[in-house]
């Protein structure tokens, strides 16, 4: 089989590897489609502190169960599945309080262990979620990015009357927009980005108002219009954003952050406490696959609106370069395995 391997930072190879055999409790997935994510590019460049090399990357993938390890229900053979990359121990403190995404021995498929940019991938059977016929193969490969949005919004508990502000109209910002609009019915969703084409995608994904902060400063513009966001999501993740979000938030607002920058930013207790703001962080997803699958099957989420490219898996290096360099025309890029 062919596997996309990051042999060491900066070196990507399409390797021929032996067909893996599923261990006890695992299924083998014949991969059909896999999505490229910013974190795959980070592992490629050696910018992910958790990654070990060589590594088969890819944590957003869909395929068919084609072999079973010992103890797995034989009825699962042939099942269409989307794979949750979060592998957790099930008994540590975070696992015991329903937060397997921050398990003390967390293993992320495609980061800590080999992932889905491969003709076949063996994964724990419980991580392979059945996908109903209402969701196409391509869209099923995009369930994972929506689980990120499902996770952060579960912390934020959006209400229809919220005035929402989302920083960043990349794949993450767009899945958050769709979740706020399609699932929670938030009436006012503002989106800010520095790239005009990305703001157009934000509109196509349901944003009510868009703002280009490369052209003018957002805080002043909101103030002039008398807008104080009650719910803010930072899906751009520059360290300067949280202080700005705190400053322009309404009293009693909730702010969600999802960035991994190690750079410092400056905050005061007063700016947070005087408005009694709630700040939530969100990492990956805590068992949100069934919920997102149901939302997608019900038509509340539409992955097609952020899907811009689908390329043969053999073109992975070119696809990753395009994904990284061309934010104006690229959003979600899928690799097709055959
Ligand atoms: P992306 O790079 O495609 O999108 C980020 C967008 O933010 C770009 O369109 C960019 O123009 C915009 N942006 C950057 N700085 C800005 C600023 N100061 N003001 C307004 N817009 C700005 O990235 P993607 O894939 O959408 O991911 C977004 C972030 O979410 C990344 O930092 C990533 O590491 C993080 N992430 C976190 C996850 C989690 O579980 N916590 C999961 C996946 C991604
Ligand atoms: Mn991802
Ligand atoms: Zn655990």
């Amino acid at each position: 089989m062919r596997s996309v391997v990051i042999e060491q930072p900066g070196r990507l190879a399409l390797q021929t590897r032996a067909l893996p055999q599923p261990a006890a409790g695992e299924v083998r997935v014949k991969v059909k489609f896999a999505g490229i994510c910013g974190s795959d590019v980070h592992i490629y460049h050696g910018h992910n502190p958790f990654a070990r090399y060589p590594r088969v990357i890819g944590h957003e993938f869909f395929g068919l169960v084609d072999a079973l390890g010992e103890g797995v229900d034989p009825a699962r053979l042939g099942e269409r599945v989307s794979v949750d990359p979060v592998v957790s121990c099930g008994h540590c403190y975070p696992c015991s309080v329903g937060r397997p995404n921050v398990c003390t021995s967390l293993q992320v498929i495609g980061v800590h262990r080999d992932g889905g940019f491969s003709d076949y991938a063996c994964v724990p059977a419980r991580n392979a979620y059945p996908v109903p016929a209402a969701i196409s193969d391509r869209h099923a490969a995009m369930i994972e990015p929506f689980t990120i949005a499902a996770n952060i919004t579960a912390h934020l508990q959006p209400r229809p009357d919220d005035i929402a502000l989302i920083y960043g109209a990349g794949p993450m910002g767009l899945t958050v927009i769709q979740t706020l609009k399609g699932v929670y019915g938030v009436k006012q969703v503002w989106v800010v980005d520095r790239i005009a084409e990305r703001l157009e995608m934000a509109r196509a994904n349901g944003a009510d108002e868009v703002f280009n902060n490369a052209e003018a400063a957002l805080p002043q513009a909101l103030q002039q219009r008398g807008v104080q966001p009650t719910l803010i999501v930072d899906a751009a993740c520059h360290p300067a954003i949280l202080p700005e979000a705190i400053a322009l938030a309404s009293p009693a607002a909730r702010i969600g952050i999802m960035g991994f920058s190690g750079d410092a930013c400056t905050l005061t207790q007063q700016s947070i406490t005087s408005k009694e703001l709630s700040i939530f962080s969100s990492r990956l997803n805590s068992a949100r696959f069934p919920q997102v699958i149901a939302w997608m099957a019900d038509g509340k989420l539409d992955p097609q609106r952020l899907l811009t490219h689908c390329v043969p898996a053999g073109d992975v290096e070119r696809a990753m370069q395009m994904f990284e360099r061309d934010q104006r025309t690229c959003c979600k890029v899928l690799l097709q395995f055959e």
Side-chain angles (χ1 to χ4, degrees):
M1 65 164 189
R2 289 170 313 165
S3 301
V4 177
V5 182
I6 307 302
E7 296 176 329
Q8 59 184 54
R11 206 166 83 207
L12 181 151
L14 209 54
Q15 289 184 358
T16 301
R17 290 190 162 190
L19 190 64
Q21 297 307 320
E26 287 187 342
V27 295
R28 185 173 68 201
V29 178
K30 165 78 197 80
V31 178
K32 294 278 182 194
F33 291 97
I36 298 178
C37 175
S39 54
D40 297 311
V41 176
H42 290 148
I43 297 172
Y44 183 17
H45 293 317
H47 296 160
N48 183 318
F50 309 112
R52 294 287 170 274
Y53 302 87
R55 174 65 61 239
V56 177
I57 51 175
H59 59 272
E60 306 177 0
F61 59 107
F62 164 83
L64 303 178
V65 172
D66 94 316
L68 307 174
E70 204 187 303
V72 179
D73 179 359
R76 301 209 58 182
L77 207 57
E79 216 171 63
R80 302 172 69 239
V81 294
S82 182
V83 177
D84 184 345
V86 173
V87 179
S88 55
C89 78
H91 50 72
C92 68
Y93 167 71
C95 282
S96 71
V97 296
R99 312 273 288 275
N101 48 323
V102 284
C103 172
T104 56
S105 47
L106 176 69
Q107 293 254 305
V108 181
I109 296 172
V111 180
H112 304 85
R113 54 199 269 169
D114 282 347
F117 287 4
S118 186
D119 286 325
Y120 296 85
C122 291
V123 303
R126 66 171 175 280
N127 285 63
Y129 285 90
V131 174
I135 302 175
S136 71
D137 293 4
R138 285 165 200 239
H139 293 176
M142 296 169 65
I143 291 167
E144 193 275 345
F146 281 96
T147 66
I148 309 290
N151 207 68
I152 197 164
T153 52
H155 286 304
L156 295 166
Q157 289 298 305
R159 298 157 42 99
D161 60 354
D162 268 315
I163 301 172
L165 170 66
I166 300 168
Y167 281 89
M172 283 303 111
L174 300 183
T175 59
V176 172
I177 298 169
Q178 285 205 26
T179 306
L180 291 180
K181 297 300 289 184
V183 174
Y184 290 97
V186 177
K187 291 193 195 73
Q188 283 192 65
V189 176
W190 285 65
V191 179
V192 56
D193 202 294
R194 315 181 282 201
I195 302 175
E197 290 84 349
R198 288 228 150 166
L199 290 170
E200 272 169 39
M201 286 209 77
R203 280 215 185 270
N205 279 268
D208 300 291
E209 301 271 355
V210 299
F211 190 87
N212 190 329
N213 63 348
E215 293 168 355
L218 176 71
Q220 286 79 349
L222 289 179
Q223 202 175 15
Q224 273 164 17
R225 295 175 64 161
V227 174
Q228 279 199 310
T230 59
L231 183 157
I232 302 177
V233 176
D234 178 8
C237 307
H238 187 281
I241 291 173
L242 182 58
E244 179 177 295
I246 287 170
L248 56 75
S250 162
R254 297 91 78 211
I255 300 176
I257 59 173
M258 55 201 306
F260 291 96
S261 170
D263 294 341
C265 67
T266 303
L267 306 170
T268 64
Q269 295 185 21
Q270 185 185 56
S271 64
I272 300 169
T273 313
S274 61
K275 295 196 272 191
E276 204 181 69
L277 302 177
S278 302
I279 301 176
F280 297 93
S281 69
S282 181
R283 181 175 183 191
L284 303 164
N285 87 93
S286 55
R288 308 267 175 214
F289 268 64
Q291 180 68 81
V292 169
I293 289 168
W295 288 339
M296 237 182 233
D298 289 349
K300 292 178 173 162
L301 303 173
D302 179 9
Q304 192 62 36
R305 292 196 249 165
L306 48 138
L307 178 56
T308 54
H309 298 77
C310 185
V311 305
D315 291 341
V316 58
E317 193 154 19
R318 185 183 59 84
M320 284 179 69
Q321 280 169 4
M322 172 183 73
F323 172 82
E324 189 180 1
R325 290 183 196 153
D326 202 355
Q327 292 201 319
R328 288 172 199 282
T329 58
C330 273
C331 189
K332 189 48 75 182
V333 178
L334 296 183
L335 299 176
Q336 180 165 15
F337 290 82
E338 213 55 77

